[in-house]
Amino acid sequence: MSEHFRVHGGARLVGEVDVVGAKNSVLKLMAAALLAEGTTTLTNCPDILDVPLMADALRSLGCEVELEGDVARITTPAELSYHADSEAMGKLRASICVLGPLVGRCKRAVVALPGGDAIGSRPLDMHQSGLEKLGAKTWIEHGCIVAEAEGLHGAQIWLDFPSMGATENILMAAVLANGTTVIDNAAREPEIVDLCLMLTQMGARIEGAGTSTLTVHGVKELQPTEHRVIGDRIVGATWGFAAAMTRGDVRVRGVNPHHLDLVLEKLRMAGAEVTVYEGEDEGFRVVMDGRPKAVDFVTLPYPGFATDNQPFAIALSAVAEGTSMITENLFEARFRFIDEMIRLGADARTDGHHAVIRGVEQLSSAPVWASDIRAGAGLVLAGLCADGATEVYEIFHIERGYPGFVENLRKLGADVERVSS
Ligand code: UD1
Protein backbone atom coordinates (compact mmCIF):
# COMPACT_ATOMS: atom_id res chain seq x y z
CA MET A 1 0.00 0.00 0.00
CA SER A 2 1.36 3.45 -0.85
CA GLU A 3 0.26 6.92 0.05
CA HIS A 4 -0.39 10.02 -1.97
CA PHE A 5 -1.52 13.59 -1.33
CA ARG A 6 -4.94 14.86 -2.32
CA VAL A 7 -4.84 18.64 -2.76
CA HIS A 8 -8.09 20.59 -3.06
CA GLY A 9 -7.33 23.90 -4.75
CA GLY A 10 -8.73 27.29 -3.92
CA ALA A 11 -7.55 28.06 -0.38
CA ARG A 12 -5.57 31.22 0.37
CA LEU A 13 -2.58 30.31 2.60
CA VAL A 14 -2.49 32.49 5.69
CA GLY A 15 -0.46 32.20 8.91
CA GLU A 16 3.01 31.39 10.22
CA VAL A 17 5.34 28.54 9.42
CA ASP A 18 8.67 27.47 10.95
CA VAL A 19 11.52 26.23 8.82
CA VAL A 20 14.09 23.85 10.38
CA GLY A 21 17.67 22.93 9.43
CA ALA A 22 18.68 22.57 5.79
CA LYS A 23 18.75 19.10 4.24
CA ASN A 24 21.63 20.17 2.02
CA SER A 25 23.63 21.22 5.07
CA VAL A 26 22.89 18.61 7.73
CA LEU A 27 24.11 15.63 5.68
CA LYS A 28 27.46 17.30 4.96
CA LEU A 29 27.85 18.35 8.60
CA MET A 30 27.16 14.77 9.71
CA ALA A 31 29.88 13.64 7.28
CA ALA A 32 32.24 16.30 8.66
CA ALA A 33 31.91 14.69 12.11
CA LEU A 34 34.03 11.84 10.67
CA LEU A 35 37.00 14.23 10.71
CA ALA A 36 37.38 14.35 14.51
CA GLU A 37 37.59 11.61 17.11
CA GLY A 38 34.96 12.10 19.84
CA THR A 39 31.37 13.31 20.02
CA THR A 40 30.06 16.00 17.67
CA THR A 41 26.59 17.41 18.35
CA LEU A 42 24.35 18.92 15.68
CA THR A 43 21.18 20.79 16.60
CA ASN A 44 18.25 22.02 14.43
CA CYS A 45 18.41 18.81 12.39
CA PRO A 46 15.36 18.33 10.15
CA ASP A 47 13.10 15.31 10.70
CA ILE A 48 13.56 13.85 7.21
CA LEU A 49 14.39 10.31 6.11
CA ASP A 50 17.88 11.15 4.85
CA VAL A 51 19.04 11.95 8.42
CA PRO A 52 18.48 8.42 9.85
CA LEU A 53 19.84 7.01 6.56
CA MET A 54 23.01 9.07 7.01
CA ALA A 55 23.13 7.94 10.67
CA ASP A 56 23.09 4.29 9.49
CA ALA A 57 25.73 5.08 6.92
CA LEU A 58 28.00 6.59 9.62
CA ARG A 59 27.34 3.59 11.93
CA SER A 60 28.51 1.30 9.13
CA LEU A 61 31.83 3.21 9.26
CA GLY A 62 32.18 2.59 13.02
CA CYS A 63 30.50 5.71 14.51
CA GLU A 64 27.88 5.66 17.24
CA VAL A 65 24.98 7.90 16.30
CA GLU A 66 22.14 8.98 18.55
CA LEU A 67 19.18 10.89 17.08
CA GLU A 68 16.86 12.57 19.55
CA GLY A 69 14.36 15.17 18.37
CA ASP A 70 16.31 17.73 16.37
CA VAL A 71 19.66 16.72 17.90
CA ALA A 72 22.18 14.32 16.34
CA ARG A 73 25.12 13.10 18.44
CA ILE A 74 27.85 11.42 16.44
CA THR A 75 30.70 9.69 18.23
CA THR A 76 33.58 8.99 15.87
CA PRO A 77 36.19 6.36 16.86
CA ALA A 78 39.95 6.65 16.50
CA GLU A 79 39.91 3.94 13.83
CA LEU A 80 37.26 4.35 11.13
CA SER A 81 36.27 1.90 8.44
CA TYR A 82 36.86 3.43 5.04
CA HIS A 83 34.37 1.11 3.28
CA ALA A 84 31.32 3.26 2.64
CA ASP A 85 29.66 0.75 0.36
CA SER A 86 27.06 -0.67 2.76
CA GLU A 87 23.35 -0.96 1.94
CA ALA A 88 22.65 2.20 3.98
CA MET A 89 25.20 4.12 1.92
CA GLY A 90 23.68 2.90 -1.34
CA LYS A 91 20.26 4.28 -0.32
CA LEU A 92 21.59 7.74 0.34
CA ARG A 93 21.78 10.13 -2.60
CA ALA A 94 24.20 12.36 -0.68
CA SER A 95 26.51 9.41 0.17
CA ILE A 96 29.29 10.97 -1.89
CA CYS A 97 29.88 13.58 0.84
CA VAL A 98 31.75 11.02 3.00
CA LEU A 99 34.44 10.72 0.32
CA GLY A 100 36.44 13.82 1.30
CA PRO A 101 36.33 13.20 5.08
CA LEU A 102 37.36 9.53 4.64
CA VAL A 103 40.26 10.43 2.36
CA GLY A 104 41.28 13.17 4.82
CA ARG A 105 41.05 10.92 7.85
CA CYS A 106 41.92 7.41 6.56
CA LYS A 107 43.83 8.34 3.36
CA ARG A 108 41.56 5.93 1.53
CA ALA A 109 37.88 5.48 0.76
CA VAL A 110 35.56 3.13 -1.07
CA VAL A 111 32.22 4.89 -1.50
CA ALA A 112 29.12 3.51 -3.23
CA LEU A 113 28.23 5.73 -6.19
CA PRO A 114 25.05 7.65 -5.53
CA GLY A 115 21.97 6.25 -7.29
CA GLY A 116 20.63 7.84 -10.48
CA ASP A 117 18.63 10.98 -9.96
CA ALA A 118 15.60 12.12 -11.89
CA ILE A 119 17.05 15.64 -12.19
CA GLY A 120 19.78 14.54 -14.62
CA SER A 121 23.31 13.17 -14.68
CA ARG A 122 25.54 13.87 -11.69
CA PRO A 123 29.15 13.46 -12.78
CA LEU A 124 31.98 13.29 -10.22
CA ASP A 125 34.90 14.37 -12.41
CA MET A 126 35.57 17.55 -10.38
CA HIS A 127 35.49 15.61 -7.08
CA GLN A 128 38.04 13.19 -8.53
CA SER A 129 40.36 15.72 -10.13
CA GLY A 130 40.34 17.86 -6.97
CA LEU A 131 41.31 14.91 -4.76
CA GLU A 132 43.97 13.91 -7.29
CA LYS A 133 45.50 17.39 -7.07
CA LEU A 134 45.72 16.80 -3.30
CA GLY A 135 47.73 13.65 -3.97
CA ALA A 136 45.11 10.89 -4.09
CA LYS A 137 44.59 8.34 -6.86
CA THR A 138 40.92 7.81 -7.68
CA TRP A 139 39.07 5.32 -9.89
CA ILE A 140 35.66 3.67 -10.28
CA GLU A 141 35.42 -0.03 -9.44
CA HIS A 142 32.40 -2.33 -8.94
CA GLY A 143 29.94 0.55 -8.57
CA CYS A 144 32.13 2.42 -6.09
CA ILE A 145 34.45 5.38 -6.26
CA VAL A 146 37.80 4.41 -4.76
CA ALA A 147 40.42 6.91 -3.54
CA GLU A 148 43.85 6.21 -2.07
CA ALA A 149 46.69 8.48 -1.01
CA GLU A 150 50.08 8.04 0.65
CA GLY A 151 49.51 11.41 2.24
CA LEU A 152 47.59 14.52 1.17
CA HIS A 153 49.33 17.78 0.36
CA GLY A 154 48.08 21.29 -0.31
CA ALA A 155 47.43 22.29 -3.94
CA GLN A 156 46.01 24.99 -6.19
CA ILE A 157 42.68 23.75 -7.56
CA TRP A 158 40.52 25.48 -10.20
CA LEU A 159 37.01 24.09 -10.49
CA ASP A 160 35.42 24.18 -13.96
CA PHE A 161 32.12 25.02 -12.30
CA PRO A 162 31.31 26.05 -8.70
CA SER A 163 29.98 22.60 -7.75
CA MET A 164 28.69 22.30 -4.19
CA GLY A 165 29.55 18.62 -3.86
CA ALA A 166 33.07 18.97 -5.29
CA THR A 167 33.79 22.03 -3.13
CA GLU A 168 32.63 20.15 -0.01
CA ASN A 169 34.65 17.01 -0.69
CA ILE A 170 37.85 18.85 -1.60
CA LEU A 171 37.44 21.13 1.44
CA MET A 172 36.92 18.21 3.83
CA ALA A 173 39.99 16.43 2.46
CA ALA A 174 42.13 19.60 2.46
CA VAL A 175 41.54 20.52 6.12
CA LEU A 176 43.81 17.65 7.20
CA ALA A 177 46.28 17.88 4.28
CA ASN A 178 49.87 18.93 4.71
CA GLY A 179 50.18 22.57 3.57
CA THR A 180 47.88 25.12 1.96
CA THR A 181 45.13 24.42 -0.57
CA VAL A 182 43.43 27.11 -2.64
CA ILE A 183 40.09 26.19 -4.24
CA ASP A 184 39.25 28.69 -6.97
CA ASN A 185 35.77 29.04 -8.47
CA ALA A 186 34.50 27.39 -5.27
CA ALA A 187 30.77 27.18 -4.53
CA ARG A 188 29.46 30.05 -2.38
CA GLU A 189 26.14 28.60 -1.16
CA PRO A 190 25.14 29.32 2.46
CA GLU A 191 25.43 25.57 3.13
CA ILE A 192 29.14 25.77 2.17
CA VAL A 193 29.56 28.68 4.59
CA ASP A 194 27.82 26.60 7.27
CA LEU A 195 30.25 23.74 6.66
CA CYS A 196 33.25 26.12 6.78
CA LEU A 197 31.96 27.53 10.06
CA MET A 198 31.65 24.10 11.65
CA LEU A 199 35.06 22.99 10.36
CA THR A 200 36.59 26.19 11.75
CA GLN A 201 34.99 25.50 15.13
CA MET A 202 36.62 22.05 14.91
CA GLY A 203 40.03 23.70 14.51
CA ALA A 204 40.34 23.94 10.71
CA ARG A 205 41.97 27.04 9.22
CA ILE A 206 39.82 28.27 6.34
CA GLU A 207 39.74 31.73 4.73
CA GLY A 208 37.26 33.07 2.19
CA ALA A 209 34.05 31.20 3.18
CA GLY A 210 31.23 32.58 1.05
CA THR A 211 33.61 33.80 -1.68
CA SER A 212 34.84 32.07 -4.84
CA THR A 213 38.31 31.47 -3.36
CA LEU A 214 38.68 29.19 -0.38
CA THR A 215 42.12 28.99 1.21
CA VAL A 216 42.66 26.06 3.55
CA HIS A 217 45.75 25.75 5.73
CA GLY A 218 45.94 22.08 6.68
CA VAL A 219 46.11 21.12 10.38
CA LYS A 220 47.23 17.88 12.05
CA GLU A 221 43.90 17.05 13.68
CA LEU A 222 40.42 18.41 14.41
CA GLN A 223 38.32 18.34 17.57
CA PRO A 224 34.61 17.53 17.85
CA THR A 225 32.22 20.44 18.27
CA GLU A 226 28.59 21.50 18.75
CA HIS A 227 26.91 23.25 15.83
CA ARG A 228 23.45 24.47 14.82
CA VAL A 229 22.40 23.62 11.26
CA ILE A 230 21.36 26.69 9.20
CA GLY A 231 17.70 27.08 8.24
CA ASP A 232 16.60 25.58 4.93
CA ARG A 233 16.43 28.38 2.35
CA ILE A 234 14.81 26.08 -0.24
CA VAL A 235 12.00 25.14 2.14
CA GLY A 236 11.69 28.86 3.00
CA ALA A 237 11.40 29.68 -0.71
CA THR A 238 8.72 27.00 -1.13
CA TRP A 239 6.53 28.79 1.43
CA GLY A 240 7.22 32.17 -0.16
CA PHE A 241 6.08 30.93 -3.58
CA ALA A 242 3.08 29.15 -2.02
CA ALA A 243 2.00 32.45 -0.44
CA ALA A 244 2.37 34.35 -3.72
CA MET A 245 0.57 31.73 -5.80
CA THR A 246 -2.41 31.39 -3.47
CA ARG A 247 -2.68 35.19 -3.04
CA GLY A 248 -1.99 34.55 0.63
CA ASP A 249 -0.19 36.06 3.63
CA VAL A 250 2.55 33.87 5.12
CA ARG A 251 5.18 34.67 7.75
CA VAL A 252 8.17 32.33 7.46
CA ARG A 253 10.52 31.93 10.44
CA GLY A 254 13.72 29.95 11.01
CA VAL A 255 15.68 31.03 7.96
CA ASN A 256 18.10 33.86 7.20
CA PRO A 257 16.14 36.14 4.82
CA HIS A 258 19.36 37.21 3.06
CA HIS A 259 19.86 33.65 1.85
CA LEU A 260 16.71 34.32 -0.20
CA ASP A 261 17.44 37.86 -1.41
CA LEU A 262 16.94 37.02 -5.09
CA VAL A 263 13.88 34.82 -4.44
CA LEU A 264 12.23 37.61 -2.46
CA GLU A 265 13.11 40.15 -5.16
CA LYS A 266 11.45 37.96 -7.79
CA LEU A 267 8.33 37.65 -5.61
CA ARG A 268 8.28 41.45 -5.31
CA MET A 269 8.51 41.73 -9.10
CA ALA A 270 5.56 39.32 -9.31
CA GLY A 271 3.58 41.80 -7.22
CA ALA A 272 4.01 40.53 -3.65
CA GLU A 273 4.60 42.75 -0.66
CA VAL A 274 7.65 41.30 1.08
CA THR A 275 8.87 42.15 4.58
CA VAL A 276 12.29 40.99 5.72
CA TYR A 277 13.04 40.41 9.43
CA GLU A 278 16.72 41.04 10.15
CA GLY A 279 18.57 38.38 12.15
CA GLU A 280 19.88 34.91 11.51
CA ASP A 281 16.57 33.05 11.73
CA GLU A 282 13.99 35.83 11.63
CA GLY A 283 12.74 35.05 8.11
CA PHE A 284 10.27 37.06 6.05
CA ARG A 285 6.61 37.64 5.22
CA VAL A 286 4.99 37.47 1.79
CA VAL A 287 1.59 39.04 1.18
CA MET A 288 -0.05 38.87 -2.24
CA ASP A 289 -3.20 40.63 -3.33
CA GLY A 290 -4.48 39.63 -6.73
CA ARG A 291 -2.98 37.55 -9.50
CA PRO A 292 0.84 37.30 -9.71
CA LYS A 293 2.54 38.97 -12.68
CA ALA A 294 4.85 36.99 -14.99
CA VAL A 295 8.58 37.15 -14.16
CA ASP A 296 11.61 35.54 -15.88
CA PHE A 297 13.94 33.22 -13.94
CA VAL A 298 17.47 31.96 -14.69
CA THR A 299 19.01 29.25 -12.49
CA LEU A 300 22.63 29.73 -11.50
CA PRO A 301 24.93 28.85 -8.58
CA TYR A 302 24.47 31.04 -5.48
CA PRO A 303 23.86 33.98 -5.29
CA GLY A 304 21.91 33.22 -8.47
CA PHE A 305 18.44 31.72 -8.44
CA ALA A 306 18.77 28.13 -7.11
CA THR A 307 17.92 25.29 -9.48
CA ASP A 308 16.09 23.68 -6.54
CA ASN A 309 13.60 26.56 -6.64
CA GLN A 310 12.99 26.21 -10.37
CA PRO A 311 9.83 24.06 -10.07
CA PHE A 312 8.26 26.73 -7.84
CA ALA A 313 9.14 29.40 -10.43
CA ILE A 314 7.42 27.29 -13.09
CA ALA A 315 4.36 26.73 -10.90
CA LEU A 316 4.10 30.48 -10.22
CA SER A 317 4.53 31.32 -13.92
CA ALA A 318 1.79 28.82 -14.81
CA VAL A 319 -0.82 30.95 -13.00
CA ALA A 320 0.74 34.38 -13.55
CA GLU A 321 -0.58 37.11 -15.79
CA GLY A 322 1.66 37.18 -18.86
CA THR A 323 4.46 35.07 -20.30
CA SER A 324 7.59 33.96 -18.42
CA MET A 325 10.84 32.51 -19.64
CA ILE A 326 12.66 30.07 -17.35
CA THR A 327 16.27 29.12 -18.10
CA GLU A 328 17.77 26.03 -16.43
CA ASN A 329 21.57 25.98 -16.38
CA LEU A 330 22.38 23.17 -13.92
CA PHE A 331 20.27 20.04 -14.30
CA GLU A 332 18.73 19.59 -17.75
CA ALA A 333 16.28 16.86 -16.73
CA ARG A 334 14.55 19.16 -14.25
CA PHE A 335 12.27 20.28 -17.09
CA ARG A 336 10.57 16.84 -16.99
CA PHE A 337 8.49 18.46 -14.29
CA ILE A 338 6.82 20.54 -17.01
CA ASP A 339 5.08 17.46 -18.45
CA GLU A 340 3.29 17.04 -15.12
CA MET A 341 2.42 20.74 -15.08
CA ILE A 342 0.90 20.36 -18.56
CA ARG A 343 -1.41 17.66 -17.12
CA LEU A 344 -2.60 20.37 -14.74
CA GLY A 345 -3.41 22.67 -17.64
CA ALA A 346 -0.22 24.75 -17.74
CA ASP A 347 0.50 26.36 -21.11
CA ALA A 348 4.21 25.54 -21.31
CA ARG A 349 6.85 24.64 -23.92
CA THR A 350 10.49 23.75 -23.53
CA ASP A 351 13.36 24.13 -25.94
CA GLY A 352 16.76 22.99 -24.65
CA HIS A 353 17.62 25.02 -21.56
CA HIS A 354 14.56 27.26 -21.86
CA ALA A 355 10.90 26.99 -21.01
CA VAL A 356 8.26 29.47 -22.07
CA ILE A 357 5.16 29.58 -19.93
CA ARG A 358 2.01 31.54 -20.69
CA GLY A 359 0.09 31.95 -17.47
CA VAL A 360 -3.50 30.75 -17.24
CA GLU A 361 -6.17 32.06 -14.86
CA GLN A 362 -6.66 28.69 -13.19
CA LEU A 363 -5.08 25.24 -13.40
CA SER A 364 -7.20 22.12 -13.70
CA SER A 365 -6.83 19.21 -11.26
CA ALA A 366 -5.36 15.90 -12.45
CA PRO A 367 -3.35 12.93 -11.14
CA VAL A 368 0.36 13.83 -11.24
CA TRP A 369 3.64 12.12 -10.28
CA ALA A 370 6.50 13.66 -8.29
CA SER A 371 9.91 12.83 -9.79
CA ASP A 372 12.11 14.47 -7.15
CA ILE A 373 11.75 16.45 -3.92
CA ARG A 374 11.32 19.91 -5.42
CA ALA A 375 9.22 18.82 -8.41
CA GLY A 376 6.91 17.11 -5.90
CA ALA A 377 6.55 20.25 -3.80
CA GLY A 378 6.01 22.28 -7.00
CA LEU A 379 3.12 19.99 -7.98
CA VAL A 380 1.49 20.48 -4.58
CA LEU A 381 1.78 24.28 -5.00
CA ALA A 382 0.20 23.97 -8.45
CA GLY A 383 -2.58 21.80 -7.00
CA LEU A 384 -3.37 24.61 -4.54
CA CYS A 385 -4.23 26.77 -7.59
CA ALA A 386 -6.24 24.15 -9.51
CA ASP A 387 -9.98 23.58 -9.49
CA GLY A 388 -11.04 20.28 -7.87
CA ALA A 389 -8.78 17.66 -6.27
CA THR A 390 -5.25 17.05 -7.56
CA GLU A 391 -3.75 13.68 -6.59
CA VAL A 392 0.05 13.85 -6.18
CA TYR A 393 1.74 10.41 -6.28
CA GLU A 394 5.26 9.25 -5.29
CA ILE A 395 5.20 11.53 -2.27
CA PHE A 396 8.17 9.80 -0.64
CA HIS A 397 10.24 12.18 -2.75
CA ILE A 398 8.60 15.19 -1.07
CA GLU A 399 9.01 13.71 2.39
CA ARG A 400 12.79 13.37 1.80
CA GLY A 401 13.00 17.15 1.96
CA TYR A 402 10.03 18.59 3.85
CA PRO A 403 9.45 17.71 7.50
CA GLY A 404 5.72 17.87 8.33
CA PHE A 405 4.77 19.15 4.87
CA VAL A 406 1.06 18.28 5.02
CA GLU A 407 0.78 19.43 8.65
CA ASN A 408 2.31 22.81 7.79
CA LEU A 409 0.10 23.25 4.73
CA ARG A 410 -3.01 22.46 6.77
CA LYS A 411 -1.92 24.88 9.49
CA LEU A 412 -1.81 27.59 6.80
CA GLY A 413 -5.35 26.70 5.72
CA ALA A 414 -4.72 24.43 2.74
CA ASP A 415 -7.13 21.60 2.10
CA VAL A 416 -4.63 18.74 1.76
CA GLU A 417 -4.85 15.17 2.96
CA ARG A 418 -2.70 12.08 2.88
CA VAL A 419 -4.58 9.20 1.27
CA SER A 420 -3.70 5.48 1.17
CA SER A 421 -3.85 4.05 -2.30
C1 UD1 B 1 23.76 20.07 -4.60
C2 UD1 B 1 22.42 19.93 -3.90
C3 UD1 B 1 21.27 20.01 -4.91
C4 UD1 B 1 21.40 21.27 -5.75
C5 UD1 B 1 22.79 21.35 -6.37
C6 UD1 B 1 23.06 22.65 -7.14
C7 UD1 B 1 22.89 18.48 -2.01
C8 UD1 B 1 22.66 17.16 -1.37
N1 UD1 B 1 22.37 18.63 -3.23
O1 UD1 B 1 23.93 18.94 -5.44
O2 UD1 B 1 20.05 20.02 -4.18
O3 UD1 B 1 20.42 21.21 -6.78
O4 UD1 B 1 23.81 21.27 -5.36
O5 UD1 B 1 22.86 23.74 -6.32
O6 UD1 B 1 23.48 19.38 -1.45
N2 UD1 B 1 29.07 18.73 -11.95
C9 UD1 B 1 30.00 18.20 -12.83
N3 UD1 B 1 31.05 17.48 -12.31
C10 UD1 B 1 31.21 17.25 -10.97
C11 UD1 B 1 30.24 17.78 -10.08
C12 UD1 B 1 29.18 18.53 -10.60
O7 UD1 B 1 29.90 18.38 -14.03
O8 UD1 B 1 32.19 16.60 -10.57
C13 UD1 B 1 27.95 19.57 -12.48
C14 UD1 B 1 26.57 18.96 -12.25
O9 UD1 B 1 26.21 18.06 -13.26
C15 UD1 B 1 25.68 20.20 -12.25
C16 UD1 B 1 26.59 21.26 -11.62
O10 UD1 B 1 27.92 20.77 -11.75
O11 UD1 B 1 25.37 20.59 -13.55
C17 UD1 B 1 26.30 21.56 -10.16
O12 UD1 B 1 26.29 20.39 -9.41
P1 UD1 B 1 26.66 20.37 -7.86
O13 UD1 B 1 26.68 21.75 -7.33
O14 UD1 B 1 27.86 19.51 -7.68
O15 UD1 B 1 25.39 19.63 -7.27
P2 UD1 B 1 25.37 18.64 -6.03
O16 UD1 B 1 26.42 18.99 -5.04
O17 UD1 B 1 25.31 17.23 -6.54
Side-chain angles (χ1 to χ4, degrees):
M1 192 146 81
S2 65
E3 292 191 310
H4 69 272
F5 292 158
R6 181 172 296 148
V7 186
H8 298 267
R12 179 168 188 253
L13 298 197
V14 177
E16 294 191 1
V17 64
D18 287 309
V19 170
V20 291
K23 163 185 164 292
N24 286 354
S25 207
V26 67
L27 303 174
K28 327 300 171 59
L29 302 177
M30 289 175 81
L34 292 169
L35 287 164
E37 188 186 339
T39 303
T40 291
T41 304
L42 296 173
T43 59
N44 200 32
C45 297
D47 180 15
I48 52 172
L49 187 63
D50 278 10
V51 170
L53 279 179
M54 186 64 173
D56 280 345
L58 296 182
R59 286 184 192 112
S60 74
L61 297 172
C63 298
E64 279 173 33
V65 187
E66 211 183 288
L67 300 178
E68 206 184 310
D70 73 347
V71 180
R73 272 184 212 90
I74 302 158
T75 304
T76 300
E79 291 291 322
L80 273 175
S81 161
Y82 59 86
H83 271 276
D85 52 357
S86 64
E87 206 189 320
M89 238 356 134
K91 283 194 202 149
L92 196 70
R93 293 254 166 86
S95 56
I96 194 66
C97 65
V98 301
L99 179 65
L102 288 180
V103 178
R105 191 72 203 285
C106 311
K107 304 291 173 279
R108 64 190 55 176
V110 180
V111 180
L113 286 170
D117 204 313
I119 64 173
S121 85
R122 301 195 95 164
L124 296 173
D125 52 309
M126 287 190 268
H127 301 241
Q128 288 184 261
S129 61
L131 294 177
E132 292 194 359
K133 281 266 174 69
L134 296 177
K137 284 200 176 64
T138 72
W139 65 95
I140 308 286
E141 195 174 84
H142 307 305
C144 294
I145 180 161
V146 185
E148 272 182 21
E150 295 281 315
L152 296 178
H153 52 74
Q156 169 75 52
I157 297 167
W158 290 272
L159 295 181
D160 288 340
F161 187 90
S163 149
M164 283 186 78
T167 303
E168 289 155 354
N169 265 329
I170 297 166
L171 179 64
M172 289 195 273
V175 287
L176 291 176
N178 191 9
T180 297
T181 299
V182 178
I183 311 173
D184 239 322
N185 202 19
R188 293 189 276 163
E189 273 73 4
E191 294 77 17
I192 302 279
V193 178
D194 200 29
L195 176 62
C196 287
L197 188 64
M198 170 160 150
L199 291 170
T200 305
Q201 283 161 203
M202 293 169 80
R205 292 178 54 213
I206 302 169
E207 292 154 18
T211 75
S212 296
T213 307
L214 287 173
T215 304
V216 185
H217 305 286
V219 295
K220 286 253 172 311
E221 60 173 20
L222 298 178
Q223 291 79 44
T225 189
E226 181 168 336
H227 181 79
R228 181 179 161 84
V229 183
I230 52 160
D232 197 318
R233 67 195 161 100
I234 309 296
V235 174
T238 311
W239 295 122
F241 275 93
M245 287 177 65
T246 62
R247 308 178 190 190
D249 178 353
V250 178
R251 168 84 170 93
V252 182
R253 294 179 196 276
V255 66
N256 184 334
H258 296 299
H259 294 164
L260 290 101
D261 277 337
L262 184 50
V263 167
L264 298 178
E265 182 57 16
K266 291 282 174 184
L267 294 179
R268 278 188 200 101
M269 288 164 71
E273 189 191 314
V274 179
T275 312
V276 160
Y277 298 89
E278 292 302 334
E280 188 61 24
D281 281 337
E282 298 294 327
F284 57 89
R285 178 179 173 190
V286 174
V287 183
M288 183 70 125
D289 278 328
R291 187 172 169 193
K293 291 194 268 298
V295 178
D296 291 341
F297 295 89
V298 179
T299 69
L300 280 173
Y302 191 84
F305 188 82
T307 172
D308 287 23
N309 290 329
Q310 183 246 79
F312 320 139
I314 289 175
L316 176 82
S317 305
V319 294
E321 192 181 340
T323 300
S324 311
M325 175 140 91
I326 319 280
T327 305
E328 171 57 53
N329 288 315
L330 279 88
F331 294 111
E332 70 285 358
R334 269 212 150 115
F335 275 160
R336 282 188 206 150
F337 165 71
I338 287 186
D339 292 337
E340 298 305 299
M341 287 296 297
I342 289 173
R343 282 183 209 274
L344 293 173
D347 181 354
R349 273 183 49 184
T350 56
D351 188 357
H353 284 267
H354 305 289
V356 173
I357 300 167
R358 296 178 181 88
V360 296
E361 187 83 43
Q362 185 166 42
L363 294 170
S364 130
S365 58
V368 285
W369 281 263
S371 52
D372 71 84
I373 305 174
R374 311 303 169 192
L379 290 172
V380 173
L381 299 196
L384 293 172
C385 300
D387 65 349
T390 294
E391 317 274 345
V392 181
Y393 294 94
E394 312 271 292
I395 57 170
F396 59 91
H397 287 297
I398 305 177
E399 301 194 318
R400 277 188 51 228
Y402 291 87
F405 195 46
V406 167
E407 294 71 14
N408 279 319
L409 279 165
R410 291 169 73 104
K411 206 173 85 178
L412 295 173
D415 187 352
V416 182
E417 56 193 324
R418 185 191 299 270
V419 182
S420 297
S421 44

